[in-house]
Amino acid sequence: MNKTKYLTYMAMLLTLTIVLSILESMLPSFTAIPGVKLGLANIVVMFTVFFIGKKQAFALNIAKGLFALITRGAVAGILSLCGGILSILVIILLLRLFGSSISYLILSIAGAIFHNIGQIIAVSFMLNAYAYMYLPVLIASGVVMGSITGVLLKTLMPVLSYPLKEGVK
Amino acid sequence: MDNSFFRYKDILIIAAVLAAAGLLYIGIQAVSRKGNTAEVLLNNSVVMTLDLSEDKTVSPEGFPNVVFEVKDGAVRFRSSDCPDKICVNTGFIDQEGQTAVCLPNRLVLRIVSDSGVDASL
């Protein structure tokens, strides 16, 4: 993939991340518990970790955090960043440990759970509140939401990776 | 990456994670006790304490649009001017250590026990 194509491709992935974040904020929340969210934007971030690179995934996550910072304030920005970074780190760690013997589904679920845990840690630090009480609920919701985003990722994979197929490097 | 999407052992992993979450939930329920006081924190410092034994509604100083309601030994954000209403949706809380958080207003409602820390020990 040449430089221009690569730049356009990454810009498209970033746009998709942001659009999915906005779309998600428009959906009514399922429950009263903060942090129980679908995490649609994570689909693109996961795709990036799996098929493009770790650096790019972090860059995407930071850009997404900045967008949250600008549109929804500092707190939302920090939460988005902490959740996203922990989630990417855990996915990378699991891939290191288990290589190709771990399935996308489990990676997606782990990503969703640790996205929530990262946010709990951030809330606990910022507000000195014991948010750990939500941990069991957020783990369970991570399993459900991670499965949904995992299935969506599988469905979208051919479309998202299409530009990668044309011309190598 | 050529990982498979799903393996049968994934069911076991998911079951184990859910079981762990269940155990954690039971554990937290077991150690938590009903509190008798609520603290309101603004930027990590206590700005107000509420006695949970008497029913009332009250607003913290400087936040006329935020209303707390104490009822039957529990407390909640009854209303708030924040956009997401997560604090209001959290509902009533009454267990020690439980919190309801309004991030946009930087307000935390936290249940504590004023009968002396670890009085049961």
Side-chain angles (χ1 to χ4, degrees):
Chain A
M1 195 182 278
N2 68 38
K3 256 179 144 179
T4 316
K5 231 175 169 179
Y6 174 77
L7 181 67
T8 319
Y9 185 52
M10 290 311 296
M12 186 203 80
L13 289 180
L14 175 59
T15 313
L16 202 54
T17 311
I18 290 173
V19 168
L20 287 174
S21 301
I22 298 171
L23 184 72
E24 180 160 349
S25 68
M26 283 158 61
L27 296 172
S29 117
F30 302 101
T31 56
I33 301 139
V36 178
K37 289 196 304 181
L38 204 43
L40 285 175
N42 289 348
I43 298 170
V44 188
V45 178
M46 274 193 294
F47 172 81
T48 311
V49 184
F50 296 158
F51 298 102
I52 299 169
K54 302 172 182 86
K55 253 196 311 190
Q56 288 88 337
F58 281 115
L60 209 58
N61 184 65
I62 290 168
K64 183 183 154 225
L66 279 176
F67 180 76
L69 179 91
I70 295 163
T71 53
R72 289 183 286 143
V75 175
I78 292 168
L79 285 185
S80 166
L81 208 59
C82 289
I85 285 178
L86 189 65
S87 147
I88 297 172
L89 284 175
V90 167
I91 289 176
I92 292 171
L93 184 72
L94 288 175
L95 278 172
R96 276 272 167 80
L97 290 175
F98 301 106
S100 57
S101 69
I102 193 165
S103 68
Y104 287 121
L105 185 68
I106 292 298
L107 287 171
S108 174
I109 289 174
I113 291 175
F114 281 91
H115 196 275
N116 290 341
I117 290 178
Q119 295 196 329
I120 288 188
I121 294 172
V123 169
S124 302
F125 268 103
M126 275 192 293
L127 296 169
N128 204 9
Y130 304 114
Y132 69 86
M133 299 201 75
Y134 292 122
L135 205 52
V137 182
L138 291 181
I139 291 174
S141 96
V143 170
V144 178
M145 305 306 177
S147 305
I148 297 172
T149 50
V151 171
L152 286 172
L153 174 67
K154 187 184 187 255
T155 317
L156 291 173
M157 215 129 74
V159 185
L160 287 173
S161 61
Y162 181 71
L164 290 173
K165 281 176 190 142
E166 317 214 321
V168 189
K169 278 260 160 177
Chain B
M1 251 176 69
D2 51 358
N3 295 31
S4 59
F5 173 71
F6 174 78
R7 284 161 183 260
Y8 284 104
K9 68 172 184 187
D10 290 355
I11 297 173
L12 292 176
I13 300 174
I14 292 170
V17 170
L18 287 176
L23 284 176
L24 199 60
Y25 180 76
I26 294 168
I28 289 173
Q29 290 298 312
V31 296
S32 62
R33 290 167 295 171
K34 254 186 156 214
N36 53 18
T37 310
E39 285 178 345
V40 179
L41 286 84
L42 175 62
N43 293 323
N44 288 343
S45 50
V46 179
V47 290
M48 193 176 173
T49 40
L50 297 168
D51 183 0
L52 298 184
S53 58
E54 44 180 304
D55 294 2
K56 61 174 171 283
T57 56
V58 65
S59 289
E61 205 174 313
F63 294 91
N65 297 318
V66 177
V67 181
F68 299 118
E69 180 182 14
V70 180
K71 201 181 169 199
D72 301 330
V75 64
R76 66 164 174 167
F77 277 84
R78 185 195 171 111
S79 61
S80 166
D81 56 352
C82 59
D84 51 23
K85 304 280 184 254
I86 285 171
C87 52
V88 177
N89 289 330
T90 303
F92 279 107
I93 53 172
D94 62 358
Q95 300 289 319
E96 238 176 274
Q98 258 187 328
T99 51
V101 177
C102 186
L103 282 176
N105 285 321
R106 300 196 64 82
L107 282 170
V108 176
L109 184 61
R110 181 166 81 187
I111 307 290
V112 291
S113 209
D114 69 356
S115 57
V117 186
D118 293 332
S120 60
L121 290 178

